[in-house]
Amino acid sequence: MNDGLDTPGSVSFSHVTFTYKADAPRVLDDICLDIEAGQFVAVLGANGSGKSTLAKHINALLVPTSGQVTVGGLDTRDEASVFAIREGAGMVFQNPDNQAVASVVRDDVAFGPENLGLAPDEIRTWVDEALSTVAMSDRALDEVESLSGGQKQRIAIAGVLAMRPRILILDEPGAMLDARGRRGITRVAHELNDAGMTVVLITHFMEDALGADRVVVLEGGRIALEGTPEEVFTDSRALRALRLELPFSIQLAEDLRARGLEVGMGLSEDRLEEELCQLLSNR
Amino acid sequence: MPVAFEQVSFSYDDEHVALSDVSLVVEDGEFLGIIGHTGSGKSTLVQLMNALLVPTAGRVLVDGLDTRERKLRRAVRTKVGLAFQYPETQLFANTVAEDVAFGPRNLGLTDDEVDQRVRAALERVGMDDADIMERSPFDLSGGQQRRVALAGILAMEPSVLVLDEPAAGMDPATVDEIRTYLRDLNDQGLTIVLVSHSMDDVAELCSRIIVLDHGILSMEGTPAELFTSENAAELRRINLDVPRATKFALELAQRGLALPGPILDERQLVEALMARHEEARGHDADLDRA
């Protein structure tokens, strides 16, 4: 095994194949993927490409049919390790409405740490910290039901953070949110990553993947494209063949260049706006 | 006039008013968009459209039928088809054809009529392939399942189709397909009411958009009337966005490059930028001549 792939926060997939039933098609097909501690990895792919199945392997909700997944060096098939793995790798799902387990925000976030058997004042500290991280401290005593979808997802993240994991797995957390709600979630994920947490973000929204260290695109259970956002998002033909679209700013730059307006193929909207202003403002 | 709201209010309990004094007419053949932050009353509004909820005050008329009248509710629900979020979770039958046939069969139609409706409904969503019709809905992809669920609603031949976030959780190519068949259905004369978080989708598809804020109908207009620089701040205040191209154009304007509107999609943005580019080149040429 590589250096560093048994350190906490790292994940390694080695020739992982997964089928739900013996004769069913492979949902994951010979996946090899090493994620170092502290990386921000975005996983893209069409519906049915295997993204969620891959995510569920990271916290041992699923285990490989063949091959091996290790999380912080622990084998997910080793039942004695499963509790430690789930403690270290927390997962947030798509639907903000069915992840809450308590009616009041603070109780909901406390559910995980309570199950760790911590002392009450310790639980309170962990919960307060988690709520503060997702900027929801002032809603601690509110009903979960009174929150917006984006706020509920931030609470779901806080519930995971309150367990102090090394790895945060987000499985399409913005699927039911508007663009602003989604941006809020992505921002929290980046702040956590800046503080050293490994983040695996499964998403359909290309914009969400722009800030990642690495982008992995799945197709039919295999890794079809992989690289930095710059590498992956400049391959527009390959992306379209994979039923994905380009991020807005890259699509715009591509269409302008096709019409003869020479803008750079930069990634961020900010840079493109600046360039357009320089090129087109009245001189 | 398929659906008319006359000063409709609705409360789930004594304390919280979910919808307050809403008057609204959904016109025949229109594609109406409803936007609003979570908890703004969108879901309440659509449930009032097919008598799943009835007004606490005021009334809702569907083709002239008052939804408060218990004996009319079945007729109302036949006229207004409602697709909830993730409608594919309600698929249940052994085959696609049987699943779609469930509703029409309950209307007491003959087998031939049911078959006809099933085929027509599946055709409208591009799922009428003989092989697909005999497959289990659970063997289909997520996008196909959603289309089958929608066909089940279309098989009831509603005059209004109400959709709550029909594209949630779908990949970009599937979202594109969903947009295309919704536009086709509307072109064929079906009135559509679309609830969506995607400002790009409502701007592209809808002829008219209404904005809900805390249970009040706060803004209304065509996409070009609604998504203006003047309205952007108000939309942001109630936690709503503008389409991506509109947002990009607004940011350019803030940096001193104002483009003539309306800019609602990427194509319009490209055209406006190219027109500006031509102008700037002409300007440069004039300077050269001088």
Side-chain angles (χ1 to χ4, degrees):
Chain A
M1 192 179 287
N2 286 345
D3 283 349
L5 286 173
D6 49 4
T7 55
S10 67
V11 180
S12 174
F13 283 68
S14 173
H15 299 287
V16 170
T17 293
F18 179 80
T19 56
Y20 280 96
K21 281 181 289 187
D23 55 346
R26 292 174 171 188
V27 187
L28 294 181
D29 189 1
D30 198 27
I31 297 279
C32 292
L33 176 68
D34 290 335
I35 300 172
E36 288 165 31
Q39 262 196 339
F40 193 121
V41 178
V43 181
L44 308 175
N47 291 122
S49 60
K51 302 187 301 292
S52 291
T53 305
L54 181 127
K56 287 177 184 146
H57 275 76
I58 301 177
N59 72 344
L61 282 178
L62 294 174
V63 294
T65 308
S66 69
Q68 188 190 38
V69 176
T70 60
V71 179
L74 302 173
D75 190 326
T76 59
R77 281 172 312 187
D78 180 359
E79 281 183 26
S81 300
V82 167
F83 190 76
I85 288 171
R86 293 213 181 123
E87 228 181 67
M91 189 148 167
V92 174
F93 297 93
Q94 195 177 110
N95 191 337
D97 284 321
N98 47 28
Q99 294 182 71
V101 292
S103 61
V104 173
V105 166
R106 194 171 61 187
D107 300 344
D108 188 64
V109 176
F111 180 79
E114 272 167 4
N115 284 345
L116 294 178
L118 300 171
D121 55 337
E122 213 169 357
I123 292 176
R124 203 166 311 123
T125 312
W126 287 31
V127 168
D128 289 348
E129 263 185 43
L131 282 171
S132 151
T133 304
V134 299
M136 292 289 288
S137 299
D138 57 333
R139 306 300 296 267
L141 299 176
D142 288 3
E143 299 272 325
V144 176
E145 268 317 299
S146 71
L147 304 178
S148 73
Q151 289 168 335
K152 283 181 191 166
Q153 284 297 60
R154 298 218 300 261
I155 294 304
I157 293 176
V160 168
L161 295 182
M163 310 273 287
R164 299 197 173 171
R166 299 297 306 257
I167 305 170
L168 177 65
I169 309 154
L170 301 156
D171 187 4
E172 290 189 50
M176 302 188 66
L177 308 181
D178 59 17
R180 290 165 62 98
R182 240 171 35 233
R183 283 198 292 272
I185 301 299
T186 314
R187 192 169 51 237
V188 167
H190 278 287
E191 283 166 11
L192 291 166
N193 181 246
D194 291 343
M197 195 177 289
T198 309
V199 175
V200 179
L201 172 66
I202 315 278
T203 182
H204 281 318
F205 297 98
M206 303 302 121
E207 276 79 11
D208 293 353
L210 282 178
D213 296 319
R214 203 158 137 217
V215 177
V216 174
V217 185
L218 293 183
E219 185 199 28
R222 288 175 162 268
I223 294 178
L225 277 177
E226 191 187 351
T228 63
E230 285 82 357
E231 287 162 356
V232 168
F233 289 127
T234 41
D235 198 349
S236 56
R237 289 224 331 249
L239 279 178
R240 264 182 222 111
L242 294 166
R243 297 177 64 83
L244 300 177
E245 62 183 0
L246 293 172
F248 183 80
S249 54
I250 295 180
Q251 179 71 58
L252 180 60
E254 198 179 282
D255 291 346
L256 291 172
R257 287 165 67 92
R259 296 276 299 268
L261 182 54
E262 290 299 320
V263 291
M265 290 301 288
L267 286 176
S268 78
E269 296 201 5
D270 202 51
R271 255 157 51 195
L272 183 57
E273 284 167 12
E274 201 179 300
E275 202 173 333
L276 284 167
C277 286
Q278 275 170 14
L279 281 169
L280 302 180
S281 287
N282 283 330
R283 277 155 286 187
Chain B
M1 190 169 73
V3 184
F5 281 61
E6 296 177 350
Q7 295 177 300
V8 171
S9 294
F10 182 83
S11 318
Y12 289 93
D13 54 48
D14 292 340
E15 280 176 50
H16 301 96
V17 180
L19 216 56
S20 180
D21 198 27
V22 169
S23 293
L24 168 73
V25 174
V26 182
E27 305 284 354
D28 266 317
E30 87 168 315
F31 202 136
L32 177 70
I34 302 178
I35 59 177
H37 199 235
T38 313
S40 62
K42 299 185 304 257
S43 163
T44 304
L45 185 79
V46 297
Q47 291 183 66
L48 283 160
M49 285 187 182
N50 82 339
L52 280 179
L53 298 175
V54 293
T56 315
R59 59 178 191 165
V60 176
L61 300 176
V62 174
D63 269 344
L65 306 177
D66 190 327
T67 62
R68 288 173 306 182
E69 303 227 14
R70 213 168 276 278
K71 59 182 189 301
L72 297 178
R73 284 191 194 155
R74 200 178 159 124
V76 166
R77 288 190 190 138
T78 310
K79 286 174 191 294
V80 180
L82 176 55
F84 285 105
Q85 290 183 7
Y86 297 86
E88 62 276 13
T89 56
Q90 290 169 42
L91 296 173
F92 68 98
N94 288 326
T95 69
V96 166
E98 278 174 46
D99 207 293
V100 178
F102 179 77
R105 231 183 266 294
N106 282 348
L107 295 178
L109 302 171
T110 66
D111 284 355
D112 277 355
E113 285 169 320
V114 171
D115 278 353
Q116 231 168 32
R117 283 198 179 201
V118 169
R119 212 167 287 276
L122 284 167
E123 195 185 321
R124 292 177 92 175
V125 297
M127 294 286 287
D128 54 328
D129 186 273
D131 168 58
I132 287 182
M133 286 173 66
E134 290 315 310
R135 277 165 68 182
S136 161
F138 304 103
D139 289 340
L140 304 175
S141 73
Q144 289 173 323
Q145 286 185 359
R146 191 159 298 182
R147 290 199 228 181
V148 170
L150 188 60
I153 296 165
L154 292 174
M156 301 296 281
E157 299 188 348
S159 48
V160 183
L161 177 63
V162 184
L163 303 135
D164 193 355
E165 298 288 353
M170 294 289 141
D171 61 51
T174 307
V175 172
D176 222 37
E177 285 162 18
I178 292 175
R179 276 192 217 115
T180 303
Y181 68 64
L182 291 184
R183 198 181 295 114
D184 288 348
L185 287 168
N186 184 244
D187 287 346
Q188 292 160 22
L190 186 63
T191 306
I192 299 185
V193 177
L194 171 69
V195 175
S196 179
H197 277 134
S198 165
M199 301 302 127
D200 283 50
D201 283 356
V202 291
E204 186 188 325
L205 292 168
C206 298
S207 42
R208 183 165 65 115
I209 300 168
I210 61 170
V211 181
L212 288 177
D213 177 33
H214 291 98
I216 292 167
L217 203 165
S218 71
M219 297 166 106
E220 182 189 347
T222 64
E225 287 164 355
L226 186 65
F227 295 123
T228 60
S229 50
E230 294 78 40
N231 285 345
E234 171 62 10
L235 288 168
R236 194 166 306 125
R237 191 190 63 77
I238 60 175
N239 279 310
L240 291 175
D241 238 318
V242 294
R244 287 182 299 182
T246 312
K247 181 164 173 284
F248 194 95
L250 289 174
E251 284 165 2
L252 285 177
Q254 273 175 6
R255 292 171 182 247
L257 179 62
L259 300 170
I263 293 173
L264 299 170
D265 58 30
E266 199 251 357
R267 195 182 48 77
Q268 290 171 344
L269 180 58
V270 169
E271 293 307 326
L273 286 166
M274 291 315 297
R276 189 57 181 258
H277 179 50
E278 294 303 320
E279 249 174 63
R281 280 219 309 225
H283 185 63
D284 283 353
D286 289 347
L287 285 180
D288 287 349
R289 267 196 297 278

